[in-house]
Amino acid sequence: MEFSELIRTGRAQAELLRGPEAPPLRGTLCVTGHHLLLSPGPQATSDLWLLLLRSVDSIEKRVAGDSGTITLRCKDLRVLQLDIEGVEATLDIARSIEALSSLESVITSFPFFYRPKGLRLGDAWHFHPPEHYYKRVARETNAWRLSEVNEDFSVCPSYPRAVIVPRAVDDDALKRSARFRQGGRFPVLSYHHAPSGTVLLRSSQPLTGPQKRRCAEDEEMLRAVLAGARPGARGFIVDTRSSQTAKQARMTGGGTEAKAAYPGWKRLHRPLERGRPLQESFVRLVEACGDLEQSMDRWLSRLEGCRWLAHVKEALSTACLAAQGMEREGACILVHGAEGTDSTLLVTSLAQLILDPLSRTMAGFQELVEREWIQAGHPFQLRCAHSAFSHARPKHEAPTFLLFLDCVWQLGRQFPLSLEFGEGLLLALFEHAYASPFGTFLCNSEKERCLCEVRTRTHSLWSGLNQPKEQRKVRNPLYVLNPLAIWPSVEPQSLRLWQGLFLRWTRPPEPSEVAWEKVWQIVTDKEKTEGSQPTVSAPEPQS
Amino acid sequence: MEHIRTPKVENVRLVDRISSKKAALGTLYLTATHVIFVENAPDTRKETWILHSQISTIEKQATTATGCPLLIRCKNFQLLQLIVPQERDCHDVYISLIRLAKPVKYEELYCFSFNPKLDKEEREQGWMLIELSEEYKRMGLPDDYWQLSDVNRDYRVCDSYPTELFVPKSATAHIILGSSKFRSRRRFPALSYYYKDNHASICRSSQPLSGFSARCLEDEQMLQAIRKANPGSDFIYVVDTRPKLNAMANRAAGKGYENEDNYSNIKFQFIGIENIHVMRNSLQKMLEVCELKSPSMSDFLWGLENSGWLRHIKAIMDAGIFIAKAVSEEGASVLVHCSDGWDRTAQVCSVASLLLDPHYRTLKGFMVLIEKDWISFGHKFNHRYGNLDGDPKEISPIIDQFIECVWQLMEQFPCAFEFNERFLIHIQHHIYSCQFGNFLCNSQKERQELKIQERTYSLWAHLWKNRADYMNPLFRADHSQTRGILRLPTTPCNFMYKFWSGMYNRFEKGLQPRQSVTDYLMAVKEETQQLEEELEALEERLEKIQKVQLNHTKVKSKPSEPSKHSGFSTSDNSTANTPQDYSGNMKSFPSRSPSQGDEDSALILTQDNLKSSDPDLSANSDQESGVEDLSCRSPSGGDCVPSEDSAKDRDSDEAVFLTA
């Protein structure tokens, strides 16, 4: 398909308004296959302004007299206004943006054309495969093995090629267990907590159905998990649905583990919001944050009505519960909801962040995102198709990943010295999950990424972010290794609205930038001083 | 001492608020100045000290099987729940505390017995640290337009004003006297802040006694004089900080507000800040929310909104912003008043000054600001903060609100203030503690009569001595953003007003961020300095060695020891490592008991919580006062404990997973 078919007009004169704090920009507007460009003209001092069309969430056009206005609401929550000369030009540009920003084809998307200087294709793609994590697990325990049962994605289309499973369970048993789990997502290792010798597993719901079906291999698998952990270990199944919902799921073929079938395992229900209600919560919050006219009187109840902070509290509490079970109770934890691709991953990834100091480093956190979200089959393409501004009725959209980032931000606020990465990295991940020149968040699963050859034909976000020039933005200069678990407070007094994200474009950024600069300066001052210690070489003994 | 019915009660339990199941067993002592709880646990002997003057309310609850609960709420937002085994003892403690918490004369207050072991000269120097005359000089006064007036010498005109005041040069004694008679409690318009860049000023007064139609020529001349003192503007703003309705109601009582027809060239403006009674109730409601046990997000947000607290904070800030803009952007002078001109007026003038002048955002400048707008202009500290037993309806958290406004600004402008949050918290603590003489009484006159400066110590000197604890490492005095006026965003930003859990929940350490950026950065800065000094020393040595080498002498040189200073990396890990009760009030982790049914219908087992050790990096002044040994310590000893350190707890509560 040719993009040019969708571009109805080449260029127009326009003025761009970027919110109350930034000065307007005038110049020639131009639509290309993937971008909206504004060239301020030869005599202007400012550079070319560029917007990835993919990041446009909704577009609104108005015409009056012989000019028009286009309002672009972006997926990163920015709101831009373009005043364009000429009615025809306005309508044409609006239509072009509309068509180009909603293209669904993956292989014609920008990451397949993006070739930044200084990066080589395929550079960072080998950074974080499951094999890498398995090496660590294997050093800690012998009870687990790396299985390639899913090498051709036939056992579970949303799992990666290799998964970590109990050594005692063979591939045939895995295949049978997969048939008993929704989408084939049989229980796999998510994290091995060496200090207590316990493990965190994740899966999807068992397909017990109305007949209360059972699966011997599935039961055997969980038995093997307990047997492989420390002697006498117990297990908890954290179901991210209410027990009511879990029971109802039986009617549609799903369900939850029957107690009698899994000796040693207890079930806990911690309902977490997902799907459409979560998306609506996000939409309402963004709406409230963008409403600058409302009075103080109603702000807090409006914030309450959005329920977003309540979701943050629930997600963190559940993750803490799972982490606590492993660290304090010495129990093995299996987390699942229904599909096991959303709130399940939210809980398992947060629990690791709480428990595992390695996952709080820059490299460790990137690996965690890669392993527990991207490779674990969180359907990014479906979930992040639209952000908070889309007028379309949400189908599969849900800001589960954003909720994860928010929870991480809350952890970082409560433990400002314990995460090696800063707010900048979380903001970048949010942006790139919704629209990115990199291929990392493309598609819904490893299988799809293989089909599209994402790994060989696009650049990895990780190599983009790990370039030296990005470090000041994404790194936390205050980081000091904290070898312990970080237990956050989940009381409402301790949780805050993430202003850096939700108010990013409505409040002036300078004060926090000035503070960030200062933090860096203090820390680098020290490093410089340390570096300038004179080396006193002992004089050569003279004989 | 005669009020202490029982000086010591054993086997008292201190209940942990977050998890009611945990309680520390210990002994309760009543001294002339403190309530002290000492835990029995031999390895910790954790102590909790509460000054009597901090006690806000004492509540004796119905006796239960375990004993008689006693709830002590403090003005610094500490909440203590004790269970006394014997009802009789509880009653005695209760009756004693009721009396001790409400002294009837100033001499009973802690500052008259508090002795930080400084000699007379040091004490006097302490009082001289903050001099208002210096501050007026700094503002550029006197000048062609303003002069120091001695009209209030010996408090002849107004007994709640200071004796030294700046007034417009053209305001004669006759005008001032006439104007004072037309103002509530004779609080005539006087200068609060002078913006020398454009000669605009902020003046303050009380409401005029205008009733429905009264006029006063001298008062009108007084306002004229203020306008003329600012040649750059042909009008002045008169800001009445009350809601219009309140001001109108005052007219019926012969008070009220300025009629624009009678005063030439004034622009009159109402700014609806509520009165002290509304503020008192609002705080009360907010504290109830803070006391909720594991509230849901909805409970908390609804409760916070219903308290109206943040709305009131915003109203005060808005008034300050309005005035700062009028002065700096329009170049117009502003006269501010409310009813008596000592509550809302003090709040608004000081917020405006803080926005306008970076000096007030420094450590010393902030002390000066409080000295100027609050202490000298007769803010009724004794009445508002209930230092002596008095009318409970006079009590209201007026300066607390100002302090919160400053914190809200600090959150917005992390680099604009030389001091940190701890500084604000400690000032708040001492406004109530009565440990220093600064905030005693209702006016300068009363303080002079009591000879405060001869008999007590100054808080400012104490804070200044410990200033290292109060520094904001992010302070950037030189940055364009923080140098001049603090510019708040033009769009109304409700979201900038946040709940200040560091103040209102500050004794619940578990709710606070577990690591302090401020302390970390201060330590890094300190270390950098040490390294620099060491570097210098090493370079010196190097030079020597080289000289020695020239003399052909063998010298063994030691390498530097960079490992010596690594003390700061101790971010508070021990607290970090204590999980909270995440199970809510729901059942969690069912025990191994063969529980009934298929579902997880088991017991509550995770009752661990977060109240725990806090090797508070903030080495506060009390560290030297060794809290370990009670016997060798007079209650009036060098205890400057602002709060958070009053509880030391070295063991962290480990999660108790009862696996039955």
Side-chain angles (χ1 to χ4, degrees), chain A residues 7 9 65 86 94 119 126 180 252 273 280 282 334 358 426 468 495 509 520:
Chain A
I7 301 172
T9 188
L119 296 182
H126 57 280
F180 184 61
T252 50
E273 205 57 87
E280 280 163 5
F282 175 41
L334 166 64
L358 277 178
L426 302 177
L495 302 176
W520 270 100

Side-chain angles (χ1 to χ4, degrees), chain B residues 180-234:
Chain B
S180 77
K181 285 178 189 147
F182 191 64
R183 295 270 166 185
S184 275
R185 298 176 199 270
R186 311 192 72 178
R187 292 171 68 92
F188 56 89
L191 183 90
S192 161
Y193 178 70
Y194 186 57
Y195 193 62
K196 61 176 174 243
D197 296 9
N198 63 7
H199 301 293
S201 64
I202 301 175
C203 295
R204 54 185 290 176
S205 70
S206 62
Q207 63 186 338
L209 304 175
S210 51
F212 290 102
S213 57
R215 292 182 63 165
C216 169
L217 188 63
E218 290 87 349
D219 194 60
E220 289 160 26
Q221 287 171 336
M222 185 75 194
L223 266 64
Q224 282 281 21
I226 293 173
R227 181 178 65 78
K228 282 188 202 141
N230 176 12
S233 173
D234 53 8

Side-chain angles (χ1 to χ4, degrees), chain B residues 131-275:
Chain B
E131 285 283 357
L132 281 188
S133 50
E134 288 295 313
E135 170 58 12
Y136 287 112
K137 225 179 266 170
R138 190 194 67 85
M139 285 185 204
L141 297 174
D143 70 354
D144 293 347
Y145 306 104
W146 294 87
Q147 63 181 8
L148 186 68
S149 164
D150 67 347
V151 66
N152 201 33
R153 195 186 329 133
D154 302 326
Y155 306 102
R156 282 183 306 198
V157 177
C158 172
D159 59 3
S160 61
Y161 263 10
T163 49
E164 301 198 335
L165 284 162
F166 277 87
V167 293
K169 253 192 178 154
S170 60
T172 59
H174 172 73
I175 292 177
I176 296 172
L177 272 172
S179 167
S180 77
K181 285 178 189 147
F182 191 64
R183 295 270 166 185
S184 275
R185 298 176 199 270
R186 311 192 72 178
R187 292 171 68 92
F188 56 89
L191 183 90
S192 161
Y193 178 70
Y194 186 57
Y195 193 62
K196 61 176 174 243
D197 296 9
N198 63 7
H199 301 293
S201 64
I202 301 175
C203 295
R204 54 185 290 176
S205 70
S206 62
Q207 63 186 338
L209 304 175
S210 51
F212 290 102
S213 57
R215 292 182 63 165
C216 169
L217 188 63
E218 290 87 349
D219 194 60
E220 289 160 26
Q221 287 171 336
M222 185 75 194
L223 266 64
Q224 282 281 21
I226 293 173
R227 181 178 65 78
K228 282 188 202 141
N230 176 12
S233 173
D234 53 8
F235 71 95
I236 66 168
Y237 278 109
V238 176
V239 171
D240 189 329
T241 57
R242 299 169 292 183
K244 188 172 181 184
L245 207 65
N246 300 22
M248 283 168 68
N250 264 299
R251 283 162 65 175
K255 300 166 190 169
Y257 52 92
E258 291 82 355
N259 183 341
E260 269 179 298
D261 299 338
N262 298 341
Y263 294 83
S264 50
N265 305 317
I266 68 165
K267 286 191 184 174
F268 188 84
Q269 178 87 31
F270 282 114
I271 293 185
I273 303 175
E274 299 289 350
N275 63 26

